[in-house]
């Protein structure tokens, strides 16, 4: 509930603010905001019309994780401002002491892995707001006892960003 309230408050604030130089059309170059499930700060930057990079800093009570994604975007012509995207990425994460205390078999402090992403990206016309919905499966690398490795399908979610 707390995350939903934060997202709604951010969305309302961004919808009504008016700042010189903001992206008011259906295209944008850079956008910064929040993503939920799990919670992350997200920044997306378009390199050209159909290629973007996205950085995500996930944080939760067991640590944090930084993910970098390279995304290929395509327009959905029936709905102006809507694109679909797919791409590869990588991540590095760090466990908190709380995680190691609750799961003593996992003795590694850090982990790395690969990511993929598949999603929809929508820039609201005449507002500096970008919304995206995606799925981000990942695979943690590791070996031996105490390594937290394998396939994870729980990353991704809804992002609301201020476009500029």
């Amino acid at each position: 509930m707390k995350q939903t309230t934060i997202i709604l408050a951010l969305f309302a604030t961004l919808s009504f603010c008016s700042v010189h130089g903001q992206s008011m059309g259906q295209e944008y170059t850079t956008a910064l905001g929040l993503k939920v499930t799990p919670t992350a700060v997200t920044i997306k930057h378009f390199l050209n019309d159909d290629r973007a990079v996205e950085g995500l800093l996930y944080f939760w009570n067991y640590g944090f994780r930084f993910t970098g994604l390279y995304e290929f975007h395509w327009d959905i012509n029936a709905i102006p401002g809507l694109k679909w995207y797919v791409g590869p990425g990588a991540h590095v994460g760090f466990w908190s002491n709380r995680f190691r205390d609750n799961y003593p078999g996992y003795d590694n402090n850090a982990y790395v892995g690969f990511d993929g992403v598949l999603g929809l990206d929508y820039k609201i016309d005449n507002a500096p707001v970008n919304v995206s919905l995606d799925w981000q499966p990942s695979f943690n690398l590791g070996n031996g006892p105490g390594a937290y490795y394998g396939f994870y399908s729980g990353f991704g979610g809804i992002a609301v960003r201020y476009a500029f």
Side-chain angles (χ1 to χ4, degrees):
M1 182 66 181
K2 182 178 176 183
Q3 291 176 343
T4 303
T5 303
I6 291 170
I7 291 298
L8 290 175
L10 178 65
F11 181 76
T13 302
L14 294 176
S15 294
F16 294 108
C17 71
S18 176
V19 178
H20 179 70
Q22 66 195 0
S23 180
M24 295 297 282
Q26 292 176 328
E27 300 291 326
Y28 67 96
T29 302
T30 304
L32 174 67
L34 294 175
K35 188 174 188 175
V36 292
T37 312
T39 304
V41 174
T42 172
I43 185 165
K44 183 180 239 181
H45 177 75
F46 277 86
L47 304 171
N48 58 36
D49 288 343
D50 62 352
R51 308 286 166 99
V53 290
E54 183 175 1
L56 297 147
L57 177 59
Y58 291 100
F59 49 94
W60 60 95
N61 49 349
Y62 286 144
F64 65 93
R65 166 179 157 163
F66 174 75
T67 301
L69 300 169
Y70 188 84
E71 301 170 350
F72 301 89
H73 287 250
W74 293 274
D75 290 330
I76 297 176
N77 293 328
I79 304 172
L82 182 64
K83 297 176 184 247
W84 73 278
Y85 60 94
V86 63
H91 65 267
V92 60
F94 300 92
W95 301 118
S96 66
N97 288 334
R98 183 176 181 184
F99 177 83
R100 287 189 303 279
D101 291 345
N102 288 338
Y103 301 97
Y106 296 107
D107 55 3
N108 293 334
N109 292 329
Y111 61 96
V112 297
F114 298 103
D115 296 80
V117 67
L118 172 66
L120 296 170
D121 186 271
Y122 182 66
K123 169 61 178 71
I124 298 173
D125 195 21
N126 296 319
V129 179
N130 161 251
V131 180
S132 69
L133 172 67
D134 62 31
W135 177 52
Q136 185 187 327
S138 63
F139 190 87
N140 287 342
L141 302 174
N143 56 14
Y148 195 69
Y149 62 93
F151 177 76
Y152 296 92
S153 62
F155 283 89
I158 297 172
V160 178
R161 300 181 195 94
Y162 175 78
F164 48 97

